[in-house]
Amino acid sequence: MMITPDTDWISNPSPYIILSEVKNKDVRILEVLGLCQQDPVNFRRENCSCRTRDMLSPQGLLYKQPSVLKGRTNVVTVTPWLAPIVWEGTFNPLIVDSIYKPMHLSIATTVFAVGKYVRFLRDFLETAEKHFMVDFKVHYYIFTDRREDVPAVVLAPGRNVTIIPVPGSNRWQEISSRRMEMIQTAIENQIGKEADYIFCLDVDTKFHGRWGAETLSRLVATIHPGYYEHTHEHYPYERRPASRAYIPAGEGDYYYGGATIAGYVRDVHKLTKYCREQLEADAANSIEAAWQEESHLNRYLLYNKPTKILSPEYLWQDFKAKNNEVQIIRFSQVNKNYAEVRPNVKKRK
């Protein structure tokens, strides 16, 4: 059974939804801790935050029988808190698609193309159309200060783009830090009324392989490709106690990349709101965490465990080669000259 959020939870002019609307969306109302009204006609949306959908697989679907004895042996596929870690060979795309595609889910995808980073947008969108959530409704929300430079890319039916104007900055760190605030605001103003799930992705990336419904869950994090082979004493956590992103020595699970954040809209809203508040608290004390929003993200996910983790297949780096663990590269950060694309990075002499 998969629980999906009430997508109109943030603001709705009417506190009620009629039964016909529920039937049209093919959902059932789940009573959560006794909060939902047991009304056969309507219910208060602000009190009922979840929907349930059965994990239905069609009769007659033929696929290789799964085994409890054979599978990936060179990587860990489940966390100590029983969240799956998604690697090639841990899921069957045929089964996953047969369950999720009939649900007619709406997927929001945010991407920031600010300043010279707009040059990466065409490759991002064109490769996303080939590999990212194919046959799902996808709404790209492009945050940019260069609307006129947004490329015209042919999108599949049911997929569209919204451009959200944002200011530029002379510091790339400020652009990075304000991302959480802007996503939070966009969820409150628009995305929360339209989407079931949200993916927050970096623009300086390209898709190279399938990225599908196997990545859907309540709160999804991705293991950073630079640190998956290391122990937490080598992670670039914020170690200064004065920062709100502080993680004490001896603590830590994995180091998560800030380039991919995903989950139910409500849960990602909670995450972005938390990170924005912590960033602002640090700024008020003239502190900037080691890796800006990524540092606050890692603290949040340490104490608010993700329900699914994506392996480095879903966040690789172009200068790295595939290895025994990473058998397929699905999404990768492109090689670039940071001094060229970031406003306050000095060029090497």
Side-chain angles (χ1 to χ4, degrees), residues 121-343:
L121 188 55
R122 179 178 294 277
D123 281 347
F124 174 90
L125 290 172
E126 289 182 346
T127 58
E129 284 300 289
K130 294 179 181 178
H131 302 293
F132 177 71
M133 303 305 293
V134 175
D135 296 329
F136 283 87
K137 289 174 55 182
V138 174
H139 194 150
Y140 300 103
Y141 296 86
I142 300 173
F143 297 73
T144 185
D145 59 339
R146 298 189 177 186
R147 184 187 186 99
E148 67 280 2
D149 293 329
V150 173
V153 174
V154 177
L155 304 178
R159 298 161 79 98
N160 50 50
V161 166
T162 292
I163 298 174
I164 300 178
V166 296
S169 175
N170 292 325
R171 297 183 69 249
W172 69 267
Q173 294 92 338
E174 181 181 354
I175 296 171
S176 177
S177 295
R178 292 196 61 205
R179 186 170 69 124
M180 293 295 186
E181 173 193 352
M182 294 177 187
I183 294 173
Q184 177 196 343
T185 301
I187 290 174
E188 294 169 355
N189 291 342
Q190 184 174 1
I191 296 174
K193 306 169 188 177
E194 300 174 350
D196 297 298
Y197 291 89
I198 182 171
F199 287 82
C200 307
L201 306 176
D202 274 6
V203 71
D204 53 335
T205 50
K206 292 172 65 174
F207 293 86
H208 300 279
R210 172 195 165 96
W211 181 315
E214 71 277 359
T215 63
L216 297 176
S217 190
R218 177 176 174 179
L219 182 60
V220 182
T222 307
I223 296 175
H224 194 292
Y227 301 97
Y228 76 98
E229 297 175 292
H230 300 284
T231 52
H232 56 64
E233 60 264 26
H234 299 292
Y235 294 165
Y237 287 153
E238 174 55 67
R239 297 300 192 184
R240 295 172 296 172
S243 172
R244 293 291 187 93
Y246 170 63
I247 294 178
E251 294 189 31
D253 296 320
Y254 311 100
Y255 189 78
Y256 302 108
T260 59
I261 307 166
Y264 292 171
V265 174
R266 165 172 279 185
D267 288 87
V268 174
H269 176 264
K270 180 180 177 182
L271 181 155
T272 56
K273 182 174 185 290
Y274 168 88
C275 289
R276 177 189 63 79
E277 291 172 347
Q278 305 314 303
L279 284 158
E280 291 176 351
D282 269 3
N285 292 318
S286 301
I287 298 173
E288 185 172 85
W291 288 101
Q292 296 81 46
E293 90 283 9
E294 188 174 85
S295 297
H296 293 279
L297 170 72
N298 271 274
R299 178 180 169 86
Y300 182 86
L301 293 173
L302 176 59
Y303 303 117
N304 299 267
K305 306 294 190 190
T307 58
K308 180 174 287 187
I309 293 178
L310 306 184
S311 71
E313 297 171 1
Y314 293 86
L315 181 57
W316 200 239
Q317 294 164 319
D318 277 2
F319 60 84
K320 292 177 176 286
K322 288 189 292 185
N323 54 38
N324 290 333
E325 295 81 37
V326 180
Q327 299 176 356
I328 180 174
I329 298 171
R330 305 178 188 276
F331 187 60
S332 183
Q333 295 175 314
V334 302
N335 293 326
K336 53 193 167 294
N337 181 347
Y338 284 107
E340 168 64 20
V341 297
R342 288 183 172 177

Side-chain angles (χ1 to χ4, degrees), residues 97-137:
D97 287 346
S98 72
I99 293 171
Y100 283 90
K101 285 187 177 180
M103 294 181 183
H104 305 295
L105 300 170
S106 179
I107 312 295
T109 304
T110 67
V111 61
F112 283 73
V114 179
K116 293 182 179 180
Y117 272 72
V118 74
R119 69 180 61 178
F120 302 113
L121 188 55
R122 179 178 294 277
D123 281 347
F124 174 90
L125 290 172
E126 289 182 346
T127 58
E129 284 300 289
K130 294 179 181 178
H131 302 293
F132 177 71
M133 303 305 293
V134 175
D135 296 329
F136 283 87
K137 289 174 55 182

